[in-house]
Amino acid sequence: MEFLDLAKRRFSERNFDKTRPVEEEKLAKILEAGRIAPTACNYQPQKIYVIKSEDSLWKAAKLTHTYNAPVVLLVCYDMNIVWKNVREDGYNSGEQDASIVASSMMFEAEDLGVHSVWLRGFSSKLVAETFELPENIKPVMILALGYPNGETKPSPMHSTKKELSETVEER
Ligand SMILES: Cc1cc2nc3c(=O)[nH]c(=O)nc-3n(C[C@H](O)[C@H](O)[C@H](O)COP(=O)(O)O)c2cc1C
């Protein structure tokens, strides 16, 4: 399938079947797509927590709506490893590194027929407390994964995309 067709097919799934796990071999491929993603200076500061036990899923669902996903990936970066910009005080590439890792995993999931939704409606502080993250590990997003519970369709937001002319210009 052409990448653009895959990208157009993907939508945020918000109605997972919690009784249908993601196959281990598919999960391994999804994580592999994240492993090989580009990162600033190739420092690979990402840290991914696989959350699939009932107890951990329950904890995750208290932090943000996870839509009954049977597996969620908590994507973080490590402050001790991340690239820091000497030309801009206080700037590091952690959010970008984690996001490209997460995007790669999201599209690999789609390619495998596994639905997903990107989640950020959580408090980083509560995530760190709940999952006892070390001080240097910074949460960026949660990628919820799974199969839909029966009939599913994209939310209206999926088709409300701006025209290129609104977001792209030549300088
Ligand atoms: C940075 C980011 C944060 C998001 N946070 C949430 C979230 O917390 N909860 C949620 O249901 N969807 C969340 N989404 C999904 C967006 O709402 C969704 O991608 C957007 O509405 C377009 O819909 P589509 O993904 O179906 O094309 C987030 C997406 C991004 C990129």
Side-chain angles (χ1 to χ4, degrees):
M1 178 183 280
E2 292 255 347
F3 180 76
L4 197 51
D5 292 330
L6 181 81
K8 285 182 176 170
R9 194 182 74 184
R10 183 217 59 85
F11 64 88
S12 294
E13 179 61 64
R14 295 190 179 87
N15 186 28
F16 291 102
D17 180 352
K18 69 175 172 194
T19 66
R20 189 175 166 200
V22 175
E23 299 84 341
E24 282 303 317
E25 48 295 1
K26 288 192 178 181
L27 187 55
K29 284 185 176 177
I30 291 166
L31 292 168
E32 175 67 3
R35 187 183 74 82
I36 61 170
T39 53
C41 273
N42 201 31
Y43 283 172
Q44 303 164 63
Q46 68 267 29
K47 178 81 181 175
I48 298 158
Y49 297 92
V50 179
I51 295 169
K52 56 184 180 173
S53 74
E54 205 167 312
D55 181 50
S56 293
L57 284 170
W58 181 80
K59 285 179 182 168
K62 286 189 76 176
L63 295 162
T64 190
H65 204 327
T66 54
Y67 305 102
N68 285 324
V71 53
V72 307
L73 304 177
L74 171 60
V75 183
C76 309
Y77 68 92
D78 188 331
M79 270 302 286
N80 295 341
I81 299 173
V82 74
W83 177 77
K84 286 127 191 147
N85 189 349
V86 291
R87 292 188 190 88
E88 195 178 329
D89 218 18
Y91 182 85
N92 74 60
S93 61
E95 294 263 341
Q96 292 194 56
D97 293 328
S99 293
I100 198 160
V101 165
S103 301
S104 301
M105 295 195 295
M106 183 180 75
F107 287 113
E108 174 63 16
E110 182 64 35
D111 196 39
L112 296 168
V114 176
H115 289 203
S116 69
V117 62
W118 186 299
L119 303 172
R120 188 53 183 90
F122 54 75
S123 147
S124 299
K125 186 168 174 284
L126 286 182
V127 166
E129 282 170 14
T130 302
F131 290 110
E132 298 175 2
L133 306 182
E135 182 66 24
N136 51 306
I137 299 295
K138 305 297 177 194
V140 174
M141 60 82 70
I142 286 176
L143 188 65
L145 297 166
Y147 294 100
N149 184 11
E151 281 301 301
T152 183
K153 59 180 174 101
S155 84
M157 285 187 287
H158 177 68
S159 47
T160 316
K161 303 289 185 194
K162 293 178 181 176
E163 294 301 325
L164 275 182
S165 58
E166 293 179 75
T167 58
V168 179
E169 67 177 68
E170 196 174 322
R171 279 282 154 93

